[in-house]
Amino acid sequence: MVNCEHLRFVEPARGSRPSTDLTFKFYADGKLVIIDNDTGHTISPRELRGGSYDFYVRQRIAFIKRDLRAKREKYA
């Protein structure tokens, strides 16, 4: 069984930019799945803009740090 973190990002509509409701699934093996909760479609990180991209980058960095810390504790 693969360990997975589910995170949700909701950003209200601003100006001409529509609202964003995304679910991010970070898997322990490095795989990432981003689901647009409004349409049910999977999107790639390249399609992210504004706050959703910032959220993705911050969560990816935090996930990598936690993974490295866990591996360091396991193999140290």
Side-chain angles (χ1 to χ4, degrees), residues 1-4 27-29:
M1 183 164 160
V2 178
N3 189 16
C4 177
Y27 291 89
D29 63 0

Side-chain angles (χ1 to χ4, degrees), residues 4-34:
C4 177
E5 290 184 34
H6 291 101
L7 301 170
R8 188 169 180 191
F9 176 80
V10 179
E11 182 177 37
R14 290 188 182 156
S16 63
R17 186 178 279 176
S19 65
T20 306
D21 183 4
L22 303 172
T23 297
F24 292 80
K25 295 181 182 182
F26 292 93
Y27 291 89
D29 63 0
K31 182 179 172 187
L32 169 69
V33 176
I34 305 170

